Amino acid sequence: MADILDAHLSETAPSMATNKPKDTGLAGGWFIDGIDTITKGAGLLASITLLFMTCIVVYEVVMRSGFNMPTTWVSEISVYAFVALVFLGLAVGQREGAHIQVEVLIDNVSPRRRQQLELIGTWLGLLFAAVTGWEMYCFTVSEYINGTRDWGLLATPQWIPEIPVIIGYVLFCAALLRDICKKSAPESRVLQAALPLLLLTILVALAYIGRTDIRVAGTRMDWATLVIMGGLILGAFAWSGWRVGLAVLLIVGIIGGLFYLSLSMSLLVTGLILVGAMMFLLFIGVPVGVTMGLIGLLGLLFMIKQPQLPMLSDRSWTSINSFTLTAVPTFVLMGSLLVHSGVTVKLFDMLVVWFGRTRGGLGHATVGASAVFAAVSGSSLATAATLGRVAAPEMTARGYSNRLTYGLVAAGATLGILIPPSIAMIIYGNTVGVPITVLFVAGIVPGLLLAALFAATVLVWSYISPSSVPVGERYPLSAKLKSLVGVLPFLALITAVLGSLYFGIATPTEAGAVGAIAALALCIQQGKMNLQQLYKVLYDTVTVTSFIMLIVIGASIFGWVFDFLRLPREMVSVVTGWDLAPWMVVVMIAIFYLILGMFIESISMMLMTLSVTFPIIVALGLDPIWFGIVLVILVEIGLVTPPVGIVLFILRGMSGVPLRDIVIGVTPFILLMLAFIALLYVFPEIVLWLPSRIS
């Protein structure tokens, strides 16, 4: 998995010409090397924390199911470990260039312009991280003074697990400063000294101000926020030049001004301003998580009559402090270990042998591999990374067109959150109170049927464009039977994950940890694991988890502003006021999710909108289980829909294939999924039949 993610991260990292740092001041090698050392240390600690979290979850499963001795501490401690690895991982993700950004503009400008845009995005990220980190510090100190304790059985003092959040934001700021120093450094020694002096001034001023929330006369800012934002904007002028500094100032000033003016405007105009500001930041290449977080920050400051900046700390803590979300890194870890074991290559080879000379056989094998891997990993990102390495090069090497190859791989990756176990289903069930196991069962038939439709699309493509789909090879029966032997370990792992889940041995959240340990055992059995390799796999998992969770944090802040302004409720009132037929409301909800999916990460989109859309579905008399599956399919489409289709960027980063070709290739599959949703509306039994049989 390491080489997959390295390829991805190297592509998503800035690839423009940069000014070579000078060996003086903050631009010098001592600063960059120091931050690198600290970040690597944070990555090591986060990796150990991930392994510890995975092991104690499996320990809980063994003690509860094997000895009837459930623990009282694993659930709480595993959540705290998850919080720590996420925030320690933010600096790791920044150092590796992993945080997702929209590359529509920055890929089509000169290296110098790209460098300036990257610098603008980095300074904006630093503004967000610094202000949010300060609010988190104030929040944690308050928790310490008030003696706040967790509601769990351990009654842990709340400030203890919150300390890693503060440390994480501090390290994130340091990593952002490191990137700024690598990308630009002024020639003048006076200007070189300006940034460290400004940083020192900010720290001294914050120490003097303390936790007091005193407003600056005639403004909506408190002194701490003004010092942080004003100091960093001055730093952008001094260190990165007047163009970058002016751009940062104008972006913050204009967006803040528009948000303030929206206080006297209609909700519709307010919503358009919010969306427009977010679109602009995404377009200029600001990372997705930072974009939503910064828009949320400015919304809290300027869009609400009484600024609510403490919500930055509240959302940072509560959006990640969830046992359900601990499944995310364990499922990603399991996928990484499976790729490292080499068994996924054997699985794909087996499918290639069995499909042989079938028209579009290699494409059918890719769909089959997607379905099987999705049933184990539960992660579309892990599925995309696996197939992008294993299936895509094999298809293109044998003459399949780039558009069909990467369109199919992107579409196949979406099966990762439909065929159970599924991270998206876990979050949906946890949010609306629907049994997660029932959701898993409900996803089996639609997932397999959608996989079959993908295969049929490959067949149709082969007739429409024969040059895109070459004739495959024929294999004897002996080769087919021999190929089955290599996938027996994979079948054993499927049994471990799904068996522990459906027999009640492990919960859906715990199944990822069980699968990760089983995959680790498989790596050891295959002779493909040592301590160094294990560290690389853990480190890569922390990197992937960090950019996913940064988006979750940013979306949670943005979503709070969105909900506080009653924008979702306004949308609901407009829809219900039209007295439409149920199918028309479902179409409108689908369009709403498709539009959001173009710009917002899928899991965050679910968390932002379910409080609005779920009551509408229930009021229409539609089944919550049915809606869960339909919503997951809509979320899948968001994963492969530009401009913020994460799967598209992963494949683009791994392959170097133009994003345009991947988008064109995946479009027929997007249309197919939309048609499939219509089919599920007409025949809801496709979703509900299997759950009714086993209930």
Side-chain angles (χ1 to χ4, degrees), residues 400-412:
Y400 283 75
S401 69
N402 281 339
R403 291 180 178 178
L404 172 58
T405 296
Y406 287 95
L408 179 61
V409 169

Side-chain angles (χ1 to χ4, degrees), residues 412-434:
T414 63
L415 296 173
I417 59 174
L418 181 58
I419 297 178
S422 163
I423 295 171
M425 290 183 190
I426 292 171
I427 292 176
Y428 173 81
N430 182 72
T431 303
V432 304
V434 172

Side-chain angles (χ1 to χ4, degrees), residues 387-554:
L387 297 178
R389 177 195 181 194
V390 176
E394 186 74 13
M395 290 181 68
T396 54
R398 298 194 185 192
Y400 283 75
S401 69
N402 281 339
R403 291 180 178 178
L404 172 58
T405 296
Y406 287 95
L408 179 61
V409 169
T414 63
L415 296 173
I417 59 174
L418 181 58
I419 297 178
S422 163
I423 295 171
M425 290 183 190
I426 292 171
I427 292 176
Y428 173 81
N430 182 72
T431 303
V432 304
V434 172
I436 295 172
T437 305
V438 177
L439 278 170
F440 281 4
V441 173
I444 293 174
V445 173
L448 295 177
L449 183 56
L450 190 58
L453 292 174
F454 285 170
T457 302
V458 174
L459 186 62
V460 172
W461 197 315
S462 70
Y463 283 103
I464 295 176
S465 179
S467 61
S468 299
V469 185
V471 177
E473 300 179 29
R474 186 186 300 276
Y475 295 90
L477 180 60
S478 59
K480 294 179 179 180
L481 296 176
K482 184 179 179 181
S483 68
L484 294 174
V485 177
V487 299
L488 290 178
F490 193 86
L491 296 177
L493 189 139
I494 291 177
T495 303
V497 175
L498 299 185
S500 67
L501 182 62
Y502 291 113
F503 285 103
I505 298 173
T507 67
T509 304
E510 295 167 339
V514 173
I517 295 299
L520 178 59
L522 181 59
C523 287
I524 295 172
Q525 184 268 331
Q526 297 283 321
K528 294 188 175 181
M529 183 58 62
N530 55 39
L531 284 178
Q532 183 179 6
Q533 292 168 332
L534 177 60
Y535 168 65
K536 287 182 67 66
V537 171
L538 291 169
Y539 186 90
D540 290 339
T541 302
V542 169
T543 302
V544 172
T545 302
S546 73
F547 77 70
I548 295 175
M549 290 301 115
L550 179 62
I551 295 173
V552 171
I553 294 166

Side-chain angles (χ1 to χ4, degrees), residues 175-186:
L176 289 163
L177 279 170
R178 167 195 177 274
D179 282 359
I180 289 169
C181 291
K182 290 191 70 174
K183 293 171 187 173
S184 65

Side-chain angles (χ1 to χ4, degrees), residues 50-121:
L50 170 60
L51 183 60
F52 168 75
M53 183 191 76
T54 304
C55 289
I56 64 173
V57 170
V58 174
Y59 173 79
E60 160 66 17
V61 172
V62 172
M63 295 302 293
R64 183 184 65 234
S65 302
F67 301 96
N68 195 27
M69 296 173 60
T71 67
T72 59
W73 55 273
V74 165
S75 176
E76 195 171 333
I77 296 299
S78 62
V79 172
Y80 296 156
F82 173 66
V83 171
L85 75 90
V86 165
F87 283 94
L88 291 174
L90 291 179
V92 176
Q94 182 65 33
R95 179 180 180 275
E96 301 294 346
H99 296 301
I100 295 294
Q101 61 185 161
V102 178
E103 300 174 325
V104 174
L105 177 63
I106 61 177
D107 273 352
N108 295 285
V109 296
S110 67
R112 182 169 175 271
R113 293 298 181 195
R114 174 166 181 152
Q115 179 178 334
Q116 290 176 340
L117 290 172
E118 295 274 357
L119 280 168
I120 291 167

Side-chain angles (χ1 to χ4, degrees), residues 594-646:
L594 291 175
I595 294 173
L596 284 181
M598 293 180 183
F599 315 111
I600 301 177
E601 188 271 334
S602 55
I603 301 300
S604 304
M605 178 173 60
M606 291 177 62
L607 294 171
M608 288 171 53
T609 59
L610 274 173
S611 61
V612 176
T613 57
F614 184 73
I616 296 177
I617 291 298
V618 173
L620 292 174
L622 299 174
D623 192 286
I625 299 295
W626 174 87
F627 179 64
I629 301 305
V630 170
L631 179 59
V632 166
I633 297 174
L634 289 170
V635 167
E636 289 177 7
I637 297 173
L639 290 172
V640 295
T641 304
V644 192
I646 294 179

